[in-house]
Amino acid sequence: MSEPTIEPMIELWHCLDARSFRALWALEELGLPYRLHMLPFPPRMFARDYLELNPLGTIPLLLDGETRMTESAAIVQYLATRYGDGALAVGVDDPAWGAWLNWLHFGEATLTFPQTLVLRYGRLEPEERRQPQVVADYARWFLARLRAVDQALADERAHLCAGRFTGADISVGFALLLAERIGLSADFSPQTAAYWARLQTREGFKRARAAQSQAAAAQGVQDVPLEAFRNT
Ligand SMILES: N[C@@H](CCC(=O)N[C@@H](CS)C(=O)NCC(=O)O)C(=O)O
């Protein structure tokens, strides 16, 4: 009797609502099978074993056969281009290809970067190391960068590029999710607020939120309050 073959499966290491949510959302939109490993945040403090898999201690970590990736926007680009007949991707020959790449990376490099400073110096650091001026400056920075999103959504456009939902909306959409979690969403423009509301109605988004909650409960991982994080 031959041995049963074990199908290789995409594996994702993830913390609730963290950047790795981009990868989870893309997996759900594409309907791909995956194994989800939930970690308490931050893993380098509460899941020391994880450092053996990813010495940076950061999430996401995605394994797909020989492929190993730790950058959330690049993972969305990888999944979008490799799987789902390009449903989340924009092809090289499409006039919107450059805009697509730009939005994918804008979501992380331009939008999430200032948010991490707001989070760190507003909530994660111990009281004595908090920096209200940094928080105020980078909150303003983030909201100013959202003007590009407003512009892309002008004339009642529903998506950032290519006239349809793509991985670019996932990358920027996660920054809007994080903004909500850290108290920046009250200052969204009406266009951005409406766009964010629409993104949350997507079945793929809802499935991803449900998947992380179910996996966290099954794996005994709790949503660690942000204040529990210490920069050690
Ligand atoms: N540019 C990377 C950043 C990865 C990253 O810093 N992830 C955060 C979570 S949102 C993390 O793991 N922080 C925990 C730590 O720094 O120990 C990406 O887009 O994935």
Side-chain angles (χ1 to χ4, degrees), residues 121-168:
Y121 290 103
R123 297 177 187 222
L124 302 182
E125 288 287 347
E127 294 283 351
E128 67 279 9
R129 294 199 77 242
R130 293 196 187 167
Q131 303 277 356
Q133 191 62 56
V134 171
V135 173
D137 288 351
Y138 284 92
R140 220 172 31 243
W141 170 309
F142 167 73
L143 292 165
R145 296 304 186 268
L146 281 184
R147 280 191 219 127
V149 175
D150 292 341
Q151 212 168 32
L153 299 172
D155 304 325
E156 302 196 0
R157 282 192 290 269
H159 302 105
L160 294 173
C161 61
R164 61 188 169 86
F165 179 83
T166 69

Side-chain angles (χ1 to χ4, degrees), residues 18-19 41-42 44 58-60 70-72 108:
R19 281 174 173 96
F41 187 84
R44 68 186 155 80
T58 54
I59 39 91
T70 58
E71 285 291 332
S72 60
E108 172 59 16

Side-chain angles (χ1 to χ4, degrees), residues 12 14 21-22 40 55 90 116 120 128 132 139 149 165 183-184 195-196 229:
L12 175 65
H14 171 53
F21 187 78
R22 288 190 175 111
V90 172
T116 58
R120 176 168 181 177
E128 67 279 9
V149 175
F165 179 83
L184 296 176
Y195 171 61
W196 169 226
F229 180 103

